[in-house]
Amino acid sequence: MTEPDPAEQLVHARGLTKRFGDFTAVDGIDVDVRRGEAFGFLGPNGAGKSSTMRMIACVSPVTDGTLRVLGRDPATDGAWIRGRLGVVPQEDSLDLELTVRENLLVYGRYFGLPKPLIRERAEELLDFVQLTDKRDAKVDALSGGMKRRLTIARSLINEPEVLLLDEPTTGLDPQARHVLWDRLFRLKQQGVTLILTTHYMDEAEQLCDRLVVMDKAHIVAEGSPAELIGQWSAREVVEVRFAPGDHEAMAGKVEDLGSRVEVLPDRLLLYTEDGDAAAAAVHERGLHPVGLLVRRSTLEDVFLRLTGRTLVD
Amino acid sequence: MLAAPHALRSYEYWLFQYKRTYKGSLVSTILFPVLFLASMGLGLGTLVDQSASGGVDGRSYLTFLAPGLLAATAMQTAVGESTYPVMGAIKWVKTYHAMLATPLGVLDVLVGHVLFIATRILISAGIFLAVMTLFGASESPLALFALVGALLTGLAFALPTIAFAAVTENDAGFAFLFRFVVTPLFLFGGVFYPVEQLPVVLEQVAYVTPLWHGVDLSRDLALGTATAAGTAGHVLYLSVWIVAGFAVAARNYRRRLAV
Ligand SMILES: Nc1ncnc2c1ncn2[C@@H]1O[C@H](COP(=O)(O)OP(=O)(O)OP(=O)(O)O)[C@@H](O)[C@H]1O
Ligand SMILES: [Mg+2]
């Protein structure tokens, strides 16, 4: 791999650390995000994703290590950097008393943009996130998915080079998530660099060119979704269900059928290059599972392997 | 064209927000002086003016009372605007967080909000002065200077209150503030009678409070009895509260918002 051009390296972190008192929320992570890519932080609650995002967004001071965003130091050039970022925070910070459109107008003024320009962009952005028919509704009355879309529209008012999205789709129903993914995908095609955090591996697989898996303040793995699966999991997974309580005992009887077996409370996961063959072997041994499913390996499996935990329970 | 300084962008937000909602608060802003000046100034005032003392310091009770109430109004507006709105901008609506994701910094957020609170104080005080004039309680155009006194009084309360609101975890502290600070000051801070009427201990306490200085300053300015030394003393004392309050508020804002 060739050394990336520094001008194309929008985020550059070495030994990046965030401490709250004695507690270390981010412990010396190295991250590089290149222009135009979609980069993900995948991890469970409390992993340190938001703490990292807030440092990149130049709102939370770096405790230790080096951080450069758009080539500059947040400690000295925070305002300059923030002027070129779009931020979708984990918790909405929309003004519920104002209308959809007013939220955009007010926010654009924080960037010092002239009012006519903001008005023009607001109409375009409302169209982009499909909220034009809600433009004069109070934000209070919007659904969760609409609020998220409005927050994304708001974050684009300054035409940012980089968009930071902290759990953009958490709490949304599947349909609302797909609408959002579609919008994010379009932004990426327009050349906007996306940095996002998520609990959802399908989201990471759909959107991210590269991602890091974070756990307990550390980065535990890094790569494209395919690379991570290749490196940390087998090609296929056989999910085998037995009667509750039997899984521990059954694990020993099937473990030689794959490269690894994982015992979950409600099923066994058997990692193998050939799922159908392993499934057939389970039947041949007369083990009579209650259920059996062969599927492709996902990031969820990578995560389970790396942290011993499932991402979303 | 130069872009506005960042603090003015935050100020602009609060003005925008106020323009949408001011109608609701306007009624009470007008009603308060009308009720007080009518009941205390005219009602109670008649009794005071007919008594042996013949008013207060040789003036009608209404003219004595009105500038004091002006300062107290500034205090009340200031504390009201510096409590729930500040906590809301941090915890509920997260207005500050939205601002801080943009080029605005913590100090811009603070200064912009203080500018708005100053504006609110001037609006309430201005309305009060207008009502006062209608009641015939302002004797000369010099009364306009009392607005400056009211503004300083308000800010001397606003900044320490903001500093407190930025770190307090729930709004129970605000009820305490209104009940045990604002209301006693209103009653004992020299608004309704000269503090010399109080027992000596309370009188000495009154001299330490910013409200008494604000009341005395506003009264002297409104009645044209101000002396250079007295005015300077009051202004200096109120400024100490403002400057110290700002310093603590800035520190608390950083602790709360830049973590
Ligand atoms: N301001 C703070 N003060 C003290 N501790 C904090 C603060 N912010 C975060 N933490 C702690 O730091 C750790 C990491 O938090 P962070 O919000 O970065 O995690 P996360 O990966 O975003 O989690 P989630 O998926 O729940 O959003 C948590 O244990 C959290 O309690
Ligand atoms: Mg988070």
Side-chain angles (χ1 to χ4, degrees):
Chain A
M1 203 173 72
T2 51
E3 247 331 275
D5 174 1
E8 293 304 295
Q9 219 178 347
L10 298 195
V11 177
H12 171 82
R14 288 293 174 274
L16 183 62
T17 299
K18 183 72 200 182
R19 277 189 286 272
F20 299 105
D22 296 338
F23 181 78
T24 305
V26 180
D27 195 359
I29 64 170
D30 297 346
V31 177
D32 288 296
V33 181
R34 294 164 215 147
R35 187 178 293 278
E37 75 177 337
F39 186 92
F41 289 90
L42 185 66
N45 289 128
K49 305 182 297 294
S50 295
S51 302
T52 304
M53 290 292 259
R54 287 167 42 76
M55 287 192 282
I56 297 173
C58 308
V59 291
S60 169
V62 171
T63 312
D64 216 342
T66 309
L67 177 63
R68 294 288 176 274
V69 182
L70 300 169
R72 299 212 192 180
D73 184 352
T76 52
D77 294 325
W80 184 91
I81 299 169
R82 289 196 301 272
R84 285 156 185 80
L85 299 181
V87 178
V88 176
Q90 182 167 355
E91 288 178 52
D92 281 328
S93 58
L94 296 166
D95 198 314
L96 303 179
E97 295 292 313
L98 301 184
T99 67
V100 166
R101 188 167 163 275
E102 284 170 338
N103 263 277
L104 297 180
L105 301 184
V106 156
Y107 199 75
R109 293 295 286 164
Y110 298 154
F111 291 91
L113 301 171
K115 283 178 189 170
L117 179 66
I118 302 174
R119 280 191 214 110
E120 196 184 304
R121 282 190 192 167
E123 297 308 325
E124 289 164 16
L125 288 171
L126 287 177
D127 185 49
F128 177 68
V129 297
Q130 298 170 338
L131 283 175
T132 303
D133 54 335
K134 294 279 177 191
R135 64 201 287 282
D136 296 315
K138 267 200 182 181
V139 171
D140 218 0
L142 299 188
S143 72
M146 288 177 182
K147 282 189 187 135
R148 249 9 215 161
R149 260 144 61 200
L150 176 57
T151 302
I152 290 180
R154 193 181 70 166
S155 73
L156 295 170
I157 199 86
N158 58 326
E159 299 194 327
E161 295 174 49
V162 187
L163 192 56
L164 301 174
L165 304 125
D166 198 350
E167 298 195 19
T169 67
T170 297
L172 303 188
D173 64 38
Q175 200 193 339
R177 292 176 70 200
H178 278 97
V179 174
L180 264 176
W181 287 351
D182 174 65
R183 298 295 112 170
L184 294 179
F185 194 72
R186 286 191 200 196
L187 285 171
K188 197 186 141 196
Q189 283 182 319
Q190 291 167 17
V192 179
T193 306
L194 304 180
I195 304 179
L196 60 115
T197 77
T198 180
H199 288 260
Y200 302 114
M201 29 124 211
D202 52 344
E203 186 159 291
E205 276 182 347
Q206 289 257 352
L207 290 174
C208 297
D209 301 314
R210 281 192 317 128
L211 55 100
V212 292
V213 179
M214 272 191 95
D215 189 33
K216 301 190 186 96
H218 294 272
I219 288 177
V220 290
E222 172 172 10
S224 68
E227 281 167 6
L228 284 169
I229 292 167
Q231 190 176 351
W232 297 99
S233 187
R235 208 169 66 87
E236 294 188 324
V237 185
V238 188
E239 298 199 2
V240 199
R241 282 170 208 273
F242 292 103
D246 284 357
H247 294 101
E248 197 70 51
M250 287 298 182
K253 300 188 181 172
V254 297
E255 66 187 348
D256 60 308
L257 295 177
S259 51
R260 210 161 55 83
V261 64
E262 192 82 52
V263 184
L264 298 184
D266 60 337
R267 66 204 153 159
L268 293 178
L269 302 182
L270 194 55
Y271 292 90
T272 169
E273 291 306 310
D274 186 346
D276 288 331
V282 170
H283 286 300
E284 276 162 25
R285 290 182 184 182
L287 296 176
H288 304 298
V290 197
L292 191 142
L293 169 83
V294 178
R295 61 166 173 82
R296 278 168 27 105
S297 206
T298 68
L299 282 176
E300 175 91 53
D301 301 299
V302 173
F303 193 79
L304 191 61
R305 170 76 188 277
L306 289 168
T307 69
R309 278 178 293 158
T310 49
L311 259 173
V312 190
D313 330 277
Chain B
M1 197 185 77
L2 276 176
H6 292 179
L8 289 185
R9 300 181 190 171
S10 149
Y11 177 55
E12 186 182 329
Y13 163 80
W14 292 106
L15 281 184
F16 184 86
Q17 157 83 22
Y18 181 63
K19 271 188 216 140
R20 299 179 82 266
T21 55
Y22 77 98
K23 288 193 189 101
S25 66
L26 213 52
V27 176
S28 64
T29 310
I30 296 172
L31 212 57
F32 176 85
V34 170
L35 289 180
F36 264 88
L37 290 177
S39 79
M40 311 291 289
L42 299 180
L44 182 64
T46 311
L47 205 63
V48 174
D49 295 342
Q50 285 169 355
S51 72
S53 59
V56 184
D57 298 335
R59 296 177 189 282
S60 75
Y61 185 63
L62 181 67
T63 36
F64 169 84
L65 173 71
L69 275 178
L70 175 70
T73 297
M75 168 182 75
Q76 263 155 348
T77 302
V79 175
E81 288 293 326
S82 308
T83 45
Y84 296 95
V86 169
M87 180 172 275
I90 293 174
K91 287 174 70 132
W92 304 320
V93 193
K94 298 185 188 298
T95 317
Y96 287 165
H97 300 272
M99 291 176 180
L100 290 171
T102 75
L104 275 60
V106 172
L107 270 188
D108 303 318
V109 163
L110 171 61
V111 172
H113 202 165
V114 171
L115 285 176
F116 172 70
I117 293 170
T119 307
R120 283 287 284 117
I121 294 168
L122 279 176
I123 291 172
S124 308
I127 289 175
F128 192 99
L129 193 66
V131 174
M132 218 171 115
T133 309
L134 288 180
F135 270 80
S138 82
E139 295 184 330
S140 77
L142 286 179
L144 269 179
F145 286 107
L147 279 185
V148 180
L151 179 62
L152 289 175
T153 310
L155 289 176
F157 281 94
L159 283 151
T161 306
I162 290 172
F164 169 66
V167 286
T168 189
E169 274 309 322
N170 60 61
D171 57 9
F174 298 156
F176 182 90
L177 186 65
F178 280 105
R179 219 164 286 159
F180 297 104
V181 179
V182 174
T183 303
L185 283 179
F186 184 51
L187 295 174
F188 296 100
V191 173
F192 297 102
Y193 45 83
V195 290
E196 291 85 357
Q197 306 294 319
L198 289 167
V200 178
V201 178
L202 281 183
E203 186 189 340
Q204 299 305 320
V205 172
Y207 291 142
V208 185
T209 67
L211 185 63
W212 178 78
H213 290 270
V215 166
D216 209 50
L217 175 65
S218 303
R219 189 168 281 148
D220 281 341
L221 289 171
L223 301 180
T225 52
T227 63
T231 305
H234 291 321
V235 168
L236 200 66
Y237 188 75
L238 294 173
S239 300
V240 168
W241 280 83
I242 295 170
V243 171
F246 182 82
V248 179
R251 188 199 61 166
N252 290 356
Y253 267 51
R254 271 194 213 96
R255 282 192 186 168
R256 191 67 191 264
L257 296 168
V259 286

